[in-house]
Amino acid sequence: MAELAPRGVLRVGDRIRFEGRNQQIIGLEGTALRLLSDEGDTSVVAAGCVMAAVDFEVLDRGAKAVLEKILPPFALVDALPPPVVEQARFWERHVVEVITGLPPDAEEGTVPRPEYDPAWRTLLEREAAKLAELAAAGQQMSRRTFLRMRRRYEAEGLWGLVDGRSRKPPAPVPGTGRTDERVVEAVTEALAGQTDLSTGDRRRLMLRAEQILAAKHGEEAVRLLPTRATFYRLVNSLAKNNESFGSATIRRQRALRPVGPFTPSMAARPGEIVQVDSTRLDVMAVLDDGVVARPELTIAVDVTTRTICAALLRPAGTKGVDAAVLLARMLVPEPMRPGWSQTLAMADSILPHQRLMAVDSRLEKAAAKPVIVPDTIVIDHGKVFVSDTFSSACSLLGISLQPARPRTPTDKAIVERTFASINSLFCQYVAGYTGSDVTRRGSDPASEAVWTLAQLQDLLDEWIICWQQRPHEGLRNPYMAGRTLSPNESYAVAVARAGYLPVALSAEDYIELLPAVWRAINDYGIKVNYRTYDSPELNRMRRQPSGVTGKQGLWEVHYDPYDVSRVWVRRSDSRRWIEVPWTHLPMVRAPFADFTWRHARQLLADQGRDDTSETAIAQVLANLLRKSGKPPAGSAQVMARTRAALEAPARPALPLAEADDSESEEPEEAPVAPFGVFNPLEEEGNPLW
């Protein structure tokens, strides 16, 4: 008999099943098979096409089972106990000698023993000789048993000779032993029900399992429960990492993971996907009303470059107008502030400054953070981002909104991870750091809080420019093997690859995105929330209708909720705007937010005074800003830089129609000592501030 055919090999003369017919291989031409059907038809078909057919099988050769099944599980053989493998090797030696005439470890040139020589003995004779040999050695075996063993070896190799007791598949639920499946099911259900409950012990879980068994299978099924010690061992086997008896927060977080494989957000060009979210900052700040609290941080992160497009701090309770302002700040250049190092300027960065300057001259004095115009913004279902204000602003700019799935933080994992980076690289070095949870919190972080909200925003804005130049582990390029890129480097590469050229918003466009109110222009000017705004440019518009009949002739007024020291009035004849300052601004001499104004009114009302008197409110407001801006000990350099930053416009101002020499006086220079340049190659533990 011919030797055992190599596994997975087709030869001339083999009969196969293909395309619903029995056919014989009558020729091999490279990778093509010449086939002869039982009806006498011949054809030439690619071997790959034949073997990929659904009905393909080998009909009359020992390799049939081999071709139909996958290769033997070699790794499972290695995992078996040594005595079991040794026994399988013992039988392999005898089976191979019967099939081929020689044992598997025979040296080259060895002649088969006469009783096993395939040239002189048939397979049945060789099997009979082997059975006699085994019987003489004390190994009694029937012909049928040896036949099954030989066929298993031809089909599965060494794995087919392994003792059947060792070949049993593992239990569906490891560690359950002989416990009844109904008990395992009840315990599994009870463990799943612990996700949203406060953490309890195993005794409570056992009572819950009893209730589930009784409800599903009757009271008699409760007797299936094992003893308490056995039950506890069963629970330890089924509970993953003891999550059900550990931290409830971690248990809920892990339950929010998606069931399927996690697929990260992918984008090929800047702005293709931008993720937006809000969270409490892990730093105590002194709010404008003097209260020490954790502010709320809202950021937008570009998926392609990991650029923090914009970041906004405000007291807890972010509103739709805040999200709209965040969107507006994403689309205008970040100006350099007084006291910032020149190394933070766009002109000294890796960004394609000259190319962008050719499109927008405002980038000449911009900081090293690119302007990214988003195509799609991923949001959660918070009321801030599903508000009409934010949706209208996105619709105006042609931006698509993509809501994340409820309670699925992995849908916007990049912005969530960026929050963690801000906490570890920025917050922990700021006075008043609270830690990520109460177990990591100091004894009294509120007493350490020294920075006002405006100062903290200024520090964060400067840190973001440093972040843009710091290598990011998630940014790599296949043509720069072994090197991590910074967000600015990734942006420069993406611009060259995708041809992306952003056009930043003009000052008029920026104002368009700000919240709007409709007011009349009277002799004294414009009244907004008990604040009076006036300008000589309003003279020809006083007591005149705007022409907008839908608003009863009122005028469109836009304001920045973070700087209500001025408003903008739309001209009736164009998209141009008139900038109108607050009449009591000399009393305050610093930008202030709308929520600070409301708190000043509340203080007056609490004192029993008139909270509609603009002068009284301005006096209280000035005192508030003076108290909250009181410099802490040892921080004169930061206060000087922050004060200078507050006196400078935070956003591009509108072009003035006429120059006014009376307002051209430069403010008194304050001594400035900027921070050191951030080294992106230093370890995380080296303090930035």
Side-chain angles (χ1 to χ4, degrees):
M1 180 179 177
E3 63 180 5
L4 183 65
R7 295 179 179 272
V9 174
L10 290 177
R11 293 178 173 177
V12 176
D14 291 342
R15 292 180 58 79
I16 64 173
R17 182 77 175 175
F18 175 61
E19 291 186 344
R21 298 190 297 176
N22 297 336
Q23 307 193 50
Q24 185 177 19
I25 301 175
I26 60 175
L28 294 174
E29 300 174 6
T31 59
L33 302 178
R34 183 176 295 275
L35 305 177
L36 175 64
S37 68
D38 292 346
E39 292 80 10
D41 300 329
T42 61
S43 59
V44 178
V45 187
C49 179
V50 173
M51 297 181 184
V54 177
D55 61 342
F56 168 72
E57 62 175 328
V58 180
L59 299 177
D60 59 356
R61 193 156 63 86
K64 170 185 174 182
V66 178
L67 292 172
E68 288 179 344
K69 300 181 179 180
I70 60 174
L71 290 174
F74 302 108
L76 291 180
V77 175
D78 295 337
L80 294 174
V84 176
V85 177
E86 184 179 352
Q87 184 185 27
R89 294 290 185 189
F90 169 80
W91 290 115
E92 180 186 32
R93 177 182 179 86
H94 293 291
V95 171
V96 171
E97 187 174 18
V98 169
I99 295 174
T100 65
L102 291 174
D105 56 351
E107 297 181 359
E108 186 177 356
T110 303
V111 178
R113 291 188 287 174
E115 60 271 28
Y116 299 109
D117 191 345
W120 301 99
R121 303 295 181 186
T122 64
L123 182 59
L124 291 178
E125 292 175 334
R126 298 197 299 272
E127 286 182 351
K130 180 56 67 177
L131 290 174
E133 179 183 342
L134 291 173
Q139 295 283 348
Q140 296 291 339
M141 179 178 292
S142 66
R143 181 183 293 271
R144 185 182 296 274
T145 302
F146 189 85
L147 177 61
R148 287 198 303 266
M149 189 179 297
R150 176 173 63 82
R151 288 178 176 175
R152 286 203 308 267
Y153 180 78
E154 290 175 343
E156 304 179 53
L158 183 62
W159 179 254
L161 301 178
V162 173
D163 190 333
R165 291 167 294 184
S166 302
R167 288 161 49 102
K168 290 182 179 179
V173 183
T176 58
R178 299 180 180 178
T179 306
D180 191 280
E181 293 182 0
R182 290 171 290 181
V183 175
V184 175
E185 180 184 353
V187 174
T188 302
E189 183 178 343
L191 286 171
Q194 302 294 308
T195 301
D196 296 323
L197 299 178
S198 299
T199 302
D201 58 13
R202 289 166 177 79
R203 174 59 183 168
R204 186 183 75 175
L205 185 72
M206 190 172 185
L207 294 176
R208 177 57 185 156
E210 291 179 359
Q211 297 171 358
I212 295 174
L213 277 174
K216 288 188 174 183
H217 306 288
E219 294 292 340
E220 296 182 356
V222 177
R223 293 182 298 177
L224 297 173
L225 282 174
T227 62
R228 179 174 300 182
T230 305
F231 181 85
Y232 286 0
R233 288 195 297 269
L234 174 64
V235 170
N236 292 338
S237 300
L238 296 177
K240 300 177 181 178
N241 302 321
N242 285 329
E243 290 180 2
S244 300
F245 311 102
S247 170
T249 302
I250 295 177
R251 185 167 62 249
R252 289 192 295 270
Q253 288 176 348
R254 291 182 176 175
L256 295 179
R257 293 177 178 176
V259 177
F262 174 70
T263 303
S265 300
M266 301 296 293
R269 65 181 185 277
E272 184 175 350
I273 300 178
V274 173
Q275 298 179 359
V276 179
D277 202 3
S278 297
T279 189
R280 288 288 189 94
L281 196 67
D282 292 343
V283 173
M284 290 286 189
V286 182
L287 305 183
D288 291 340
D289 55 7
V291 176
V292 177
R294 291 171 58 192
E296 197 162 280
L297 171 65
T298 304
I299 63 173
V301 181
D302 176 54
V303 171
T304 303
T305 64
R306 302 299 197 271
T307 293
I308 301 179
C309 304
L312 204 59
L313 283 174
R314 64 152 292 135
T318 303
K319 300 180 179 179
V321 293
D322 302 313
V325 171
L326 177 80
L327 181 62
R329 294 192 177 183
M330 289 172 55
L331 304 177
V332 295
E334 183 72 36
M336 287 289 291
R337 313 284 178 83
W340 283 13
S341 171
Q342 184 60 27
T343 57
L344 302 181
M346 183 181 291
D348 293 345
S349 70
I350 192 76
L351 294 173
H353 181 250
Q354 294 300 326
R355 180 181 179 185
L356 297 175
M357 271 283 295
V359 179
D360 193 341
S361 59
R362 293 174 298 170
L363 298 176
E364 180 180 2
K365 296 182 179 180
K369 188 182 76 171
V371 175
I372 294 179
V373 180
D375 294 339
T376 301
I377 295 181
V378 180
I379 59 174
D380 57 19
H381 292 262
K383 61 181 181 180
V384 175
F385 303 113
V386 297
S387 64
D388 293 337
T389 304
F390 184 69
S391 301
S392 300
C394 291
S395 177
L396 178 67
L397 296 170
I399 299 173
S400 301
L401 291 180
Q402 178 181 322
R405 290 170 293 180
R407 298 174 60 84
T408 310
T410 49
D411 282 356
K412 44 185 178 60
I414 292 176
V415 70
E416 299 284 358
R417 183 61 185 87
T418 304
F419 281 136
S421 298
I422 292 175
N423 287 331
S424 62
L425 299 176
F426 172 74
C427 292
Q428 68 170 322
Y429 303 116
V430 179
Y433 175 59
T434 62
S436 56
D437 56 67
V438 293
T439 63
R440 301 170 183 265
R441 188 163 300 171
S443 57
D444 191 10
S447 64
E448 303 171 2
V450 294
W451 305 118
T452 66
L453 200 61
Q455 295 163 0
L456 195 59
Q457 178 75 63
D458 189 46
L459 294 176
L460 179 61
D461 289 341
E462 183 176 8
W463 177 86
I464 289 175
I465 307 303
C466 300
W467 162 271
Q468 291 296 121
Q469 304 180 53
R470 183 182 190 275
H472 193 292
E473 187 63 30
L475 298 176
R476 294 183 180 271
N477 190 289
Y479 301 103
M480 302 177 183
R483 180 184 173 190
T484 56
L485 304 180
S486 67
N488 281 351
E489 290 174 329
S490 180
Y491 177 86
V493 172
V495 166
R497 181 183 66 240
Y500 180 86
L501 195 61
V503 179
L505 289 182
S506 63
E508 289 80 6
D509 293 331
Y510 176 79
I511 295 173
E512 287 283 0
L513 293 177
L514 296 177
V517 293
W518 294 83
R519 295 290 186 270
I521 301 179
N522 297 306
D523 293 334
Y524 55 80
I526 301 171
K527 204 76 152 179
V528 179
N529 196 13
Y530 298 101
R531 296 186 301 271
T532 303
Y533 299 87
D534 200 4
S535 171
E537 294 187 62
L538 299 179
N539 289 340
R540 60 186 181 85
M541 303 163 64
R542 302 181 192 276
R543 300 183 306 280
Q544 299 296 321
S546 65
V548 182
T549 56
K551 293 294 183 179
Q552 292 77 44
L554 299 178
W555 293 85
E556 183 180 357
V557 180
H558 285 222
Y559 68 97
D560 186 342
Y562 293 94
D563 181 8
V564 292
S565 60
R566 52 182 175 169
V567 297
W568 293 268
V569 180
R570 187 191 297 276
R571 296 178 183 269
S572 59
D573 55 347
S574 66
R575 291 187 64 231
R576 301 291 300 277
W577 298 87
I578 299 175
E579 184 175 318
V580 185
W582 183 39
T583 56
H584 287 67
L585 186 60
M587 296 179 61
V588 179
R589 300 190 61 188
F592 58 95
D594 188 49
F595 54 79
T596 310
W597 173 267
R598 292 196 300 269
H599 181 73
R601 290 189 58 203
Q602 184 62 43
L603 290 178
L604 280 175
D606 294 343
Q607 297 172 8
R609 301 166 60 186
D610 183 10
D611 65 341
T612 63
S613 172
E614 190 169 0
T615 302
I617 299 173
Q619 292 174 345
V620 174
L621 181 65
N623 291 332
L624 278 177
L625 296 178
R626 204 162 34 243
K627 291 178 180 178
S628 63
K630 184 178 180 180
S635 62
Q637 60 175 10
V638 179
M639 285 301 302
R641 180 176 57 77
T642 304
R643 185 166 54 252
L646 291 175
E647 294 175 358
R651 299 288 148 189
L654 292 172
L656 298 177
E658 297 180 0
D660 190 349
D661 295 338
S662 63
E663 297 181 0
S664 61
E665 298 180 1
E666 297 182 358
E668 181 180 356
E669 294 187 359
V672 174
F675 292 128
V677 179
F678 175 69
N679 184 358
L681 300 180
E682 290 182 357
E683 293 296 330
E684 218 176 76
N686 191 5
L688 176 58
W689 310 119

